Amino acid sequence: MVSKQPDPHPEIPDEIDGLRMTKQRKEIYHILMEYRDHPTASEVYMRAKERLPSISQATVYNCLQALVQHQIIRQVNFERESSRYCPNLREHVHFHDSATGAIHDVDFKPGFQLNELLQLPEGVQVEDIEITLRGKLPQSS
Amino acid sequence: MVSKQPDPHPEIPDEIDGLRMTKQRKEIYHILMEYRDHPTASEVYMRAKERLPSISQATVYNCLQALVQHQIIRQVNFERESSRYCPNLREHVHFHDSATGAIHDVDFKPGFQLNELLQLPEGVQVEDIEITLRGKLPQSS
DNA sequence: GTATGGAATTGGAATAATTCTTGATATCGG
DNA sequence: CCGATATCAAGAATTATTCCAATTCCATAC
Ligand SMILES: [Mn+2]
Ligand SMILES: [Mn+2]
Ligand SMILES: [Zn+2]
Ligand SMILES: [Zn+2]
């Protein structure tokens, strides 16, 4: 007779946007929210194993994909590297610090318009924008 | 006693930016310049085999990489798809037509400034920008 | 023209991220 | 509790790309 363990992440609802938030999905979502450092799937896997030692890589990929498809997190790609995952749902840009490898979120200024920047042909419907920057931060950021 | 074949691509110099332009590199560069449709490595391979039947996939990858490293062409990545290759060296943006899958180059407006658009911290040095759009063109483009 | 050393090419094996398959578990509604 | 359905786990499979070793090419020197 084993009593049910308390939910380790009570702040995460049991369902988001129609997606049942299982123990594994909650843990993975929590991991992304904790540091927001854009980890790869295998970094998520290593962190998840600490609380859920029996979790598998396949489950990490499954969960990340489910969260992405339900627009609870975003998948971020840079060049040909492993995908990274980001829980920031605001429209934003990714800045890769070429010195440290860290990835930082950068917001748009309010009221930005893409056609102020680009010579877009008349009538195009832009459904998605992805902007990535690479560069250096001023020292000791 | 075989007389040397005429160069099929005399418009391409025998050396660009310190890179010796071999038969294979010329052919691949020519393929990219011909339609500028951002082919993948295996699309380039299929086209290259018509003129150079003995070329290998490894050579196509080698040549593309050499051309990219010498900044003669650019490598373009979209999500997790195969890399595509682009001979347009102007600073530009890639628009993916979600109806046809075609990729179009879009130029910046003259005098654009990224910090008019983004809340970048003071003193960052942006070394590289990559912008990808996905959307629909007005019908019959 | 021929020799030679380095660069380039080739074909196949290796790699690595991700996806697929299949069977076991867990959860939900009744 | 029972059956239906969703999820998870483990390992195999896939696919784009890179690596490796052997051959071929080519520019220059003789
Ligand atoms: Mn928590
Ligand atoms: Mn030509
Ligand atoms: Zn982000
Ligand atoms: Zn382009």
Side-chain angles (χ1 to χ4, degrees):
Chain A
M1 187 155 321
V2 181
S3 61
K4 205 173 287 183
Q5 296 297 122
D7 181 352
H9 301 303
E11 79 279 11
I12 302 176
D14 291 340
E15 182 174 322
I16 302 182
D17 198 25
L19 181 69
R20 222 174 86 209
M21 291 298 281
T22 62
K23 186 161 42 111
Q24 291 84 350
R25 289 176 184 156
K26 280 189 179 184
E27 184 57 39
I28 285 170
Y29 183 59
H30 175 79
I31 286 167
L32 294 182
M33 290 295 268
E34 191 169 18
Y35 299 116
R36 298 160 188 263
D37 57 352
H38 304 86
T40 63
S42 62
E43 287 166 350
V44 171
Y45 175 52
M46 290 187 300
R47 296 180 198 177
K49 270 194 301 194
E50 296 183 12
R51 269 176 189 279
L52 302 175
S54 74
I55 200 171
S56 68
Q57 290 233 54
T59 295
V60 171
Y61 275 106
N62 286 343
C63 290
L64 288 169
Q65 191 172 294
L67 293 169
V68 167
Q69 279 167 353
H70 287 257
Q71 310 197 62
I72 299 165
I73 64 172
R74 298 165 105 114
Q75 183 171 3
V76 176
N77 298 297
F78 183 58
E79 314 264 303
R80 301 256 85 212
E81 295 173 11
S82 306
S83 287
R84 296 175 173 277
Y85 297 88
C86 169
N88 179 355
L89 295 179
R90 261 178 294 131
E91 204 160 22
H92 68 283
V93 163
H94 288 115
F95 180 89
H96 290 240
D97 184 333
S98 50
T100 67
I103 297 173
H104 301 277
D105 288 353
V106 176
D107 283 320
F108 288 97
K109 286 189 178 171
F112 81 97
Q113 280 296 320
L114 207 59
N115 18 21
E116 290 168 16
L117 186 71
L118 299 177
Q119 297 182 343
L120 280 169
E122 283 299 312
V124 297
Q125 293 210 32
V126 177
E127 294 161 357
D128 195 54
I129 312 171
E130 196 180 304
I131 303 184
T132 303
L133 311 177
R134 195 178 47 76
K136 291 205 201 318
L137 292 176
Q139 82 280 37
S140 79
S141 171
Chain B
M1 189 165 314
V2 181
S3 62
K4 205 173 287 180
Q5 296 296 125
D7 180 352
H9 301 302
E11 77 279 12
I12 302 176
D14 290 339
E15 182 174 321
I16 302 181
D17 197 25
L19 182 70
R20 191 151 68 82
M21 291 299 281
T22 63
K23 185 162 40 109
Q24 290 86 349
R25 290 176 184 158
K26 280 189 179 184
E27 184 57 38
I28 285 170
Y29 184 59
H30 175 79
I31 286 168
L32 294 182
M33 290 294 268
E34 192 169 19
Y35 299 115
R36 298 162 186 262
D37 58 349
H38 304 86
T40 63
S42 63
E43 287 166 350
V44 171
Y45 174 53
M46 291 188 299
R47 296 181 198 176
K49 271 194 299 195
E50 296 183 12
R51 270 176 187 278
L52 302 175
S54 74
I55 200 171
S56 67
Q57 290 233 53
T59 296
V60 172
Y61 276 106
N62 287 343
C63 290
L64 288 169
Q65 190 174 294
L67 293 169
V68 168
Q69 279 168 352
H70 288 257
Q71 310 198 59
I72 298 165
I73 64 172
R74 298 167 105 115
Q75 183 171 4
V76 176
N77 298 298
F78 183 58
E79 314 264 302
R80 301 255 85 212
E81 295 173 12
S82 306
S83 287
R84 296 174 173 277
Y85 297 88
C86 168
N88 179 355
L89 295 179
R90 261 179 294 130
E91 204 160 21
H92 68 283
V93 161
H94 289 114
F95 179 89
H96 290 241
D97 185 333
S98 51
T100 67
I103 296 172
H104 301 276
D105 287 353
V106 176
D107 283 320
F108 287 96
K109 286 191 174 169
F112 78 96
Q113 279 297 321
L114 208 60
N115 13 24
E116 290 169 15
L117 191 69
L118 299 177
Q119 297 183 342
L120 280 168
E122 282 300 312
V124 296
Q125 292 210 30
V126 176
E127 293 160 359
D128 194 54
I129 311 171
E130 196 180 303
I131 303 184
T132 304
L133 312 177
R134 193 178 48 76
K136 292 204 202 318
L137 292 174
Q139 82 279 39
S140 80
S141 173

